[in-house]
Amino acid sequence: MKQRLLVGLSMLMVLAWAQVPDKVSPELAAEKGCLSCHEGIEDIMPADSGMMMQIKAFGAQAGDPAGCVVCHGGNPRGLTKEEAHSGAPDALKNRGPQEFYPDPGSIWIANRTCGQCHPGYDYRLNLSLMQTEAGKIQGNLHTFGFPETWDGKTPYGNYDVKDTDGQVPQVGTDAYKKYMAELIKLYPQAFPTELKQLPEVTTEQVQKDPKLAAITYQRHDCQRCHVGVNGREKRGDYRGMGCSSCHIIYGDEGFYEGNDPTINKQERGHPIAHRIVATREIGGVHPGDSGGIPIATCNSCHNRGKRIGVTFQGLMEFPYGTPYDAKGKKQPKLHTKKYLFIADDVHHRGEPGKGGMLCQDCHTTIDMHGDGNIFATTLAQVEIECEDCHGTPDKYPWELPLGQGEEFGRKLSDKPRGLADQPLPETAAFGTVYPKEDGYLLTARGNPFGNVVKRGNKVIVHSATGSDFEAPVLKAINESDTWSSDEAKVAMVSVAKHTKNLECYACHASWVPQCYGCHVKVDYSGGVTGTDWLKSGSAVDKHGMTAESAIGSSGIKSPGKISESRSYLRWEDPVLGINGEGRVTPLMPGCQVVYTVIDTEGNTIAHNVIARSPDEAAQLGQDLIPLAIDMAPAQPHSALPQARSCESCHDNPKTLGYGIDGGIYQAHYAEDIIADITDARTGKPLAKNYQIQIPAIPDLTFDWSQIVDPKTGKQVATVGTHWPLSRSLPQEMRDNMDRSGLCMGCHKEMTDEKVWSAISTPGTLNNAEHLDLMHKMLLKYYEDSKKGQ
């Protein structure tokens, strides 16, 4: 009965979609405009909002009382679909749409649509990393063996773009603009004034230089997440373009669930409803829903690379897909992967009755839209640090100097950053304006958080969801001595070097997705092709749509087929290193590429190749040239209140960079592994018919998790490819941290029965008793030292 009911409902939805008239009467078109066909579609904003009222007022002037043409253009008096979806009312052409735009958020025409009311956003977004992906391009090329391509000589982006108005940010406070001027002067390579489109490559060029297959790999696989295209039509990846990438919501399944009779509710690839989301007041997709942009929307892109979006939700890709569901099936693929739940970030977890926070609650308009400059890396664009809200044990956030947490090797001023009396003009104009109370907190670069305020010595975070949170403030905790544990107090207060030298998430990132080894095969044989996302994004029609925008389209193809796999997965005890800001940070496998290339004739012209990084060796001042398999500094977005244990860093060779258990495993990558019958003395296969079980990777003589040779202390793999300060932990720091083998400080005397019987008693101690005994020994040593004085 239930199944028949579902089938019946499905048929009704299809029939409702199919009953759209081919032609409407002139009288109906004059009365209702676009609603002649789209009767029932949701208002793009709440009906009582100022924005919706303005849209309808402008629409009425253009002959469309619903206001659709204000954003979409088109002819509201058209009697057929073809007539209605062409041109634009003359009343709008001087400032708005020139044509019919199916997706008004498209970056390619946003200056005529969203830009009518939100001027400048389209320009800033076009130069931001969400469009250029400059850092991703450079990092990937580097791991294939290209020299640094972001140093101002040959910087690449998804498209040709120039910073036409100079490098003074278009938005931000005077303090922010001054801060950025200093940073640009210090690291000009991180702020190029022009990008060239990542070039195409021919099969003939690849034949001569196989590493050029990196360009095919990028254009086919890596560059689909920028806002200039719609991206891949897979579960979890459906989204719009440009502004619509974030502000128009798609469910993971890609089905429309609204009331527009013209949209096929059985076809994937549609937004869940015709509704903009952004702020607390606007609300969500449905009446009564919490406001803001859902995290899953961000994850339509942020599920690869550093995987910060799915990590924030607590998800890590895993191949198994268990447990089975009620029908005995494995989990459905999400972003083409299956997942294991590890632990979600404390900010995602939130509080009972309030829920969690959204990405936009921390990340600012500049983090997401840019400031009008071109950025070569994430660190160049993102302006926030943990200390901006939580402070340090000896300073409240407003007592900290600008730049706290992102020193970039600089000595900071002692001047407190203070508070702001007003949010940014962009926030005041388009966002929620919260009461300032004692003042708005500032980012590390001097811009006000419009949603974070001081209340006495408390920090209140107003979430776009509608919930308000009190952020833990470290100085308040320290002054009241309300630390959660002795370990916390020791780590945060007693060992002052921790807060001075470490990123907060060096300890609080409880886990990090570690996808070791990125095995890439680029195959040009048999005329195979794949979607070229940059070619497709460059082919823009007058409606603002790209070659891959239409549902079911695969865009413009170019030669080559990409296959990817990995060596192994881990999540626990991430390696530590130094990031571009000069602080200790978790590392995660970045582009750890080992590539194989098959030419047009089916010949293998590169087999399991790992490039090397001469520029990394020069930067480190060492003779050993590291492999270009990157262990990338990252903010994993996996913070928990319970930080890493002391032992996980100080008694763990993996954390120091020496590899899992000191690199004793997987030491034979450079050899072919044969599992068949072999001569026990020589290892020679005894069977004439045998296969190599695990092919060799000739240059990989150590485990993927290792970045430092424990014998020589030299760095053997790349750590970051963008900033000169990024590297493995320095030798002195590793030596100071390393407390492995500490147990033997006492227990080596167990071999001397006379000594051990004098200092021990029969039986065993549990962990608490053991710690108590060691503490007593320390106090006894202290008392004896005083007597000795």
Side-chain angles (χ1 to χ4, degrees), residues 153-452:
K153 297 177 182 177
T154 52
Y156 293 131
N158 285 328
Y159 307 98
D160 290 349
V161 64
K162 287 186 178 181
D163 184 352
T164 58
D165 67 346
Q167 290 192 296
V168 176
Q170 288 188 351
V171 295
T173 62
D174 290 342
Y176 171 78
K177 292 175 182 178
K178 179 181 178 183
Y179 184 99
M180 293 306 294
E182 294 172 353
L183 198 58
I184 291 169
K185 184 178 180 180
L186 188 62
Y187 293 108
Q189 68 274 29
F191 303 91
T193 57
E194 181 179 2
L195 297 175
K196 293 292 185 182
Q197 185 177 57
L198 180 67
E200 296 181 58
V201 65
T202 66
T203 54
E204 291 78 14
Q205 289 174 307
V206 174
Q207 185 74 40
K208 295 177 181 177
D209 186 357
K211 75 171 182 288
L212 291 176
I215 293 176
T216 301
Y217 174 50
Q218 289 213 248
R219 293 178 72 110
H220 284 202
D221 254 37
C222 302
Q223 305 312 118
R224 60 179 168 78
C225 279
H226 65 283
V227 298
V229 295
N230 276 92
R232 185 172 60 184
E233 292 181 15
K234 295 291 185 180
R235 183 172 180 268
D237 295 340
Y238 298 107
R239 61 174 175 83
M241 301 169 63
C243 310
S244 302
S245 300
C246 303
H247 291 286
I248 301 295
I249 305 306
Y250 289 67
D252 281 348
E253 310 303 331
F255 291 124
Y256 176 66
E257 298 179 5
N259 298 310
D260 185 340
T262 71
I263 299 177
N264 183 356
K265 293 187 177 183
Q266 300 301 298
E267 181 180 58
R268 297 180 187 270
H270 296 284
I272 198 169
H274 180 254
R275 196 61 173 264
I276 286 175
V277 297
T279 65
R280 177 181 286 200
E281 292 92 347
I282 293 173
V285 173
H286 307 106
D289 289 351
S290 61
I293 299 169
I295 290 159
T297 298
C298 306
N299 289 356
S300 64
C301 287
H302 292 283
N303 60 76
R304 274 188 59 130
K306 294 179 181 176
R307 298 164 172 81
I308 57 173
V310 286
T311 299
F312 190 66
Q313 290 180 304
L315 301 177
M316 177 177 163
E317 62 195 74
F318 235 66
Y320 306 121
T322 52
Y324 294 102
D325 67 14
K327 294 183 179 180
K329 295 182 178 180
K330 290 188 175 182
Q331 60 176 265
K333 287 187 177 182
L334 179 68
H335 316 302
T336 71
K337 309 173 190 74
K338 296 175 181 178
Y339 285 90
L340 184 68
F341 182 85
I342 308 295
D344 56 335
D345 189 284
V346 64
H347 301 86
H348 178 268
R349 189 174 303 175
E351 300 175 17
K354 292 185 177 182
M357 293 168 60
L358 302 175
C359 306
Q360 72 185 85
D361 293 332
C362 293
H363 287 287
T364 67
T365 181
I366 289 174
D367 287 358
M368 293 180 280
H369 304 112
D371 68 0
N373 284 331
I374 297 174
F375 304 96
T377 78
T378 303
L379 284 186
Q381 182 168 338
V382 174
E383 63 170 326
I384 62 170
E385 294 290 337
C386 304
E387 295 92 332
D388 296 347
C389 288
H390 298 286
T392 63
D394 62 342
K395 290 185 186 294
Y396 288 104
W398 44 89
E399 295 175 336
L400 295 171
L402 294 181
Q404 177 75 32
E406 59 162 36
E407 290 80 7
F408 289 105
R410 303 167 297 170
K411 179 175 174 54
L412 303 179
S413 164
D414 294 327
K415 181 182 177 182
R417 68 178 67 173
L419 299 159
D421 290 325
Q422 300 288 337
L424 286 177
E426 290 73 22
T427 304
F430 308 119
T432 301
V433 179
Y434 298 98
K436 76 166 187 174
E437 302 196 33
D438 296 332
Y440 297 100
L441 271 66
L442 298 176
T443 71
R445 298 182 179 181
N447 284 321
F449 286 102
N451 66 318
V452 186

